[in-house]
Structures are given as structure tokens and as C-alpha cells.
Amino acid sequence: MHFFIYYIIFFLLNPRFYTNIEQKNRYIDEFNQKMEARDFKGAITVFERLEEVHRVIDIHLRLDAAHAYFALGDTSAARINYEFSRDLNDPGPSSVSRNQLAILALMRKDTASALDFFRSAVERDPRLQEARF
């Protein structure tokens, strides 16, 4: 429901919203190709262009972008994008986001938050072995 409200607000702020769908789809394809090629820097460049064209971005795409930011060492951008996907209905990606947020908390030496994120990751998906260790 909240995505519908975002689309309405975004349409009012950007009347070209529906005319740039083709460009958005092109950027998504290019982003996915760069991620498959493990060109994280190129993927982030495409992702940032995509954000300029279309503010409402699929949560799973944000999760991939968060992985790319993390791989490049940009932990603040990674954290922001992991935060978007930590409360997904799908337990798999949600637990992966929480696990990554726990790792980022450990990097900041915030062990209490890290432990909470690890616990919630295991609660969301008990099969996620990375969160157990």
C-alpha cells in the first residue's frame, strides 16, 4: 500500500514518471549485468543514475546495491540500503540484510546491536548459517 502512495507522490513531483519507465528498465538491466560481472563500481554508478530517474526502487534491487556498496567498502551507503530491506516479508533476503547489518555493527564495535541483528536474522530464517556463527 505504501508503494502506491509513493507512486502518487512521485508522479505529482515528477510528471515524466511514466515516460522514463523504459530508461528505468534499461538501467535495471545494466545494473544486473554489472552485478553478474562483479563490476561493483560500475553497478553503483548505474544504481545512482537509476535513483535519479526513479526514486521508488525495488527492495531486492536495493539489497543488491547494498552488497555492492559493502564490497567497495562504503559501509554507510551499504547500511542505508540494508535498512530498507531488513523488514521484507520474504525471510531469506530479510535475514541476509539483518546479518549484514550485524556485520556492519561489529565493524563499528557495537556488539550489542550486532548480537540483536544476528538473533533477529536467525529468527527470520533459521537456515541462515552465517548468522549462527
Side-chain angles (χ1 to χ4, degrees), residues 6 9 18 23 29-30 33 46 49 51 65 77-78 80 82 125:
Y6 287 136
I9 291 170
Y18 291 106
Q23 186 178 20
D29 290 340
E30 187 178 349
Q33 289 171 356
V46 173
R49 278 190 270 152
E51 279 187 318
I80 290 168
Y82 283 130
D125 187 4

Side-chain angles (χ1 to χ4, degrees), residues 63-116:
L63 181 61
D64 289 340
H67 291 320
Y69 279 119
F70 186 79
L72 291 176
D74 188 352
T75 56
S76 62
R79 182 177 179 207
I80 290 168
N81 285 290
Y82 283 130
E83 288 285 342
F84 276 108
S85 58
R86 77 176 190 178
D87 294 324
L88 290 172
N89 291 335
D90 187 3
S94 174
S95 63
V96 168
S97 291
R98 291 169 190 239
N99 185 59
Q100 290 299 111
L101 285 168
I103 291 169
L104 290 170
L106 283 175
M107 292 171 77
R108 291 189 320 269
K109 306 216 185 314
D110 184 3
T111 55
S113 293
L115 188 57
D116 290 339

